[in-house]
């Protein structure tokens, strides 16, 4: 029974790309509100930022959209990009919900969570509105809001001296992408 399940699951994974959609999305992130804490020094800062130097970042995201006959689609993929702490590489999962489907355009709502631990701990939740036009359904664009949590721990010679730095930011993102 176990071999049959593994064989069917493997067959499903191998055949799914034939009838599903692949999504590439390039995003630019802007953090508007930040909460920073460092253990090494008693520094806790919170602030509202709109000037263009603070917290820029972006990512190239690939998502595999599982096929579905209804307006709810599951997404699974990965991302790579940068933020003001450096390079990020994440796994992502989420869902895509079709809200409006007219003759001229589609309006979708995308919920995506990203989790990564290469270089530093990274976790982001985003809620995005996606617009695609009927004449060119392969291209889409949109905007959304996100909440990002980052943490890095600095190890020294002894565990008693180690320190950490963490940040929690709320912001928005602009993106465009391609579906094939």
């Amino acid at each position: 029974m176990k071999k049959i399940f593994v064989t069917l699951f493997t067959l499903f994974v191998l055949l799914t790309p034939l009838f599903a959609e692949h999504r590439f999305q390039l995003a630019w992130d802007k953090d508007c509100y930040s909460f920073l804490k460092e253990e090494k020094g008693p520094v806790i800062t919170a602030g509202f930022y709109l000037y263009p130097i603070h917290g820029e970042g972006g990512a190239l995201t690939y998502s595999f959209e599982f096929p579905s006959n209804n307006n709810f689609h599951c997404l699974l993929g990965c991302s790579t990009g940068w933020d003001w702490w450096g390079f990020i590489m994440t796994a992502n999962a989420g869902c895509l919900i079709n809200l409006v489907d007219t003759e001229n355009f589609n309006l979708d709502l995308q919920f995506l969570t990203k989790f990564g631990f290469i270089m530093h701990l990274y976790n982001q939740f985003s809620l995005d509105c996606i617009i695609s036009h009927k004449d060119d359904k392969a291209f889409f664009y949109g905007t959304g809001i996100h909440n990002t949590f980052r943490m890095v721990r600095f190890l020294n010679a002894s565990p008693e001296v180690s320190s950490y730095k963490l940040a929690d930011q709320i912001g928005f993102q602009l993106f465009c992408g391609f579906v094939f």
Side-chain angles (χ1 to χ4, degrees):
M1 184 67 172
K2 191 183 211 182
K3 289 181 182 180
I4 293 172
F5 177 74
V6 170
T7 304
L8 288 175
F9 181 74
T10 305
L11 189 61
F12 173 75
V13 169
L14 292 174
L15 292 176
T16 303
L18 297 175
F19 52 88
E21 291 185 341
H22 305 272
R23 306 174 72 81
F24 281 98
Q25 176 176 312
L26 181 63
W28 174 75
D29 295 340
K30 173 68 179 136
D31 298 330
C32 295
Y33 182 81
S34 295
F35 174 80
L36 304 170
K37 183 176 191 281
E38 293 186 45
E39 184 186 38
K40 198 171 192 178
V43 177
I44 297 176
T45 59
F48 187 71
Y49 303 100
L50 282 179
Y51 57 93
I53 298 171
H54 183 77
E56 267 66 25
L60 177 63
T61 302
Y62 165 77
S63 295
F64 177 79
E65 184 178 333
F66 287 94
S68 175
N69 290 331
N70 57 21
N71 291 338
F72 182 84
H73 300 268
C74 292
L75 303 172
L76 190 63
C78 59
S79 293
T80 185
W82 72 98
D83 63 14
W84 59 286
W85 285 19
F87 176 73
I88 56 172
M89 190 172 214
T90 64
N92 61 325
C95 63
L96 185 70
I97 302 166
N98 186 293
L99 297 177
V100 177
D101 191 4
T102 67
E103 292 181 14
N104 297 326
F105 74 96
N106 290 335
L107 179 65
D108 299 325
L109 187 64
Q110 173 181 277
F111 174 76
L112 200 61
T113 181
K114 298 178 181 180
F115 179 75
F117 49 86
I118 296 177
M119 305 299 202
H120 58 275
L121 180 66
Y122 181 90
N123 192 15
Q124 183 182 68
F125 297 101
S126 65
L127 183 63
D128 308 316
C129 289
I130 299 174
I131 298 171
S132 62
H133 297 279
K134 291 288 184 169
D135 56 349
D136 186 20
K137 190 178 179 199
F139 179 74
F140 63 89
Y141 56 92
T143 186
I145 57 173
H146 65 82
N147 184 6
T148 306
F149 176 78
R150 299 173 180 95
M151 181 176 162
V152 65
R153 184 173 178 163
F154 305 103
L155 298 176
N156 293 331
S158 65
E160 296 85 22
V161 191
S162 67
S163 62
Y164 68 88
K165 179 169 116 176
L166 62 90
D168 187 17
Q169 285 115 354
I170 298 171
F172 66 91
Q173 60 188 6
L174 301 172
F175 59 87
C176 63
F178 191 79
V179 176
F180 64 94

